[in-house]
Amino acid sequence: MTSDEAERKMQFLFALRSRGVTDKRVLNAMEKIDRGAFVTGLFAERAYEDMPLPIPCGQTISQPSVVGLMTQALEVQPRDKVLEVGTGSGYQAAILSQLGRRVYTLERHRRLVQGAEAVFSQLRLTNITAIVADGSYGYPEQAPFDRILVSAAAEDPPGPLLAQLRPGGIMVLPVGQSDAVQHLIRVRRTETGYEYDELRSVRFVPLVEGLGQE
Ligand code: SAH
């Protein structure tokens, strides 16, 4: 690592901490997974800034501090089977792969799945499976999940995702209309029902029905 790279990494981690990402395991994962590997083209040099950036198919890679806060709220345990909806660049899935046992990530654009898979193999992340699918229906083949993280905003938590959460499990997702303020919420499934708490306001691309064109 050059001293420039080391400096950049320190600033990246400092920004995360100052925005409330304090969990040691999450910070370690974010130190280890190079966000620069997931951003290509014009914006690559801004990969270490705390801002969302454009990726192909008109989508965005989320802001690192939001990735950190969502991951922290998910409280992933080493034996957990995790579902992500909205692979995008694959960055969030890569972070989750450091914390849980196995990650399944669903994306409606084939091109994004292929791009993410290429980075996963380049970084030798072997416990992630990326699948082209409409994530609103979850992934019944592997349900139930210990943890579910949704990276696109729905108006309400999708029923199939609630159903695929194991009792004792946690789901973190943005809810609200795509052109308005959305709220990040955490859902805990208990033996008898679901408990909700609201974390903060956020802005995500919408959860869209069906598969994408490319
Ligand atoms: N977690 C991503 C952020 C991607 S933005 C990252 O770290 O880069 C949200 C993604 O959700 C977009 O790529 C979008 O195509 C995808 N998406 C939207 N609706 C979806 C759906 N119904 N099923 C699967 N993916 C969906």
Side-chain angles (χ1 to χ4, degrees):
M1 210 187 312
T2 66
S3 64
D4 265 11
E5 281 164 357
E7 171 73 22
R8 217 165 44 185
K9 189 150 249 182
M10 240 173 63
Q11 280 177 5
F12 182 74
L13 292 168
F14 181 79
L16 290 173
R17 277 195 215 94
S18 69
R19 291 184 169 96
V21 184
T22 51
D23 185 301
K24 258 247 127 57
R25 290 182 66 229
V26 175
L27 285 167
N28 284 342
M30 294 187 77
E31 177 169 7
K32 184 156 166 230
I33 300 292
D34 179 10
R35 189 171 184 251
F38 296 87
V39 186
T40 50
L42 277 178
F43 294 96
E45 63 191 47
R46 314 194 71 168
Y48 307 99
E49 295 175 29
D50 192 28
M51 51 165 65
L53 294 171
I55 57 173
C57 305
Q59 305 302 316
T60 52
I61 175 172
S62 312
Q63 192 175 345
S65 57
V66 172
V67 170
L69 290 169
M70 287 177 83
T71 308
Q72 182 166 289
L74 203 60
E75 299 173 15
V76 182
Q77 305 301 310
R79 298 206 47 78
D80 283 352
K81 178 158 74 170
V82 184
L83 176 69
E84 187 204 13
V85 174
T87 315
S89 67
Y91 180 62
Q92 172 74 75
I95 304 291
L96 293 171
S97 79
Q98 301 301 294
L99 300 168
R101 175 170 56 88
R102 174 106 228 144
V103 178
Y104 294 89
T105 179
L106 310 175
E107 168 60 56
R108 61 188 292 277
H109 289 288
R110 181 173 302 275
R111 179 172 166 204
L112 292 176
V113 167
Q114 287 168 344
E117 280 175 331
V119 186
F120 298 153
S121 58
Q122 177 199 327
L123 300 183
R124 303 214 192 320
L125 304 174
T126 54
N127 62 339
I128 312 175
T129 307
I131 300 135
V132 182
D134 179 346
S136 344
Y137 299 99
Y139 193 50
E141 290 86 339
Q142 285 293 336
F145 296 95
D146 302 294
R147 298 289 186 267
I148 301 179
L149 189 153
V150 186
S151 294
E155 287 189 26
D156 295 299
L161 297 182
L162 289 170
Q164 289 173 29
L165 190 61
R166 188 193 297 282
I170 300 176
M171 169 157 70
V172 173
L173 77 167
V175 292
Q177 283 167 350
S178 56
D179 52 355
V181 177
Q182 304 155 358
H183 296 282
L184 198 60
I185 62 168
R186 173 167 48 193
V187 183
R188 285 176 195 272
R189 182 166 190 177
T190 65
E191 291 299 333
T192 52
Y194 297 90
E195 289 169 3
Y196 296 82
D197 64 295
E198 200 174 295
L199 304 175
R200 53 167 278 176
S201 56
V202 281
R203 181 127 207 164
F204 273 83
V205 299
L207 192 70
V208 178
E209 260 180 51
L211 297 185
Q213 293 297 315
E214 49 173 358

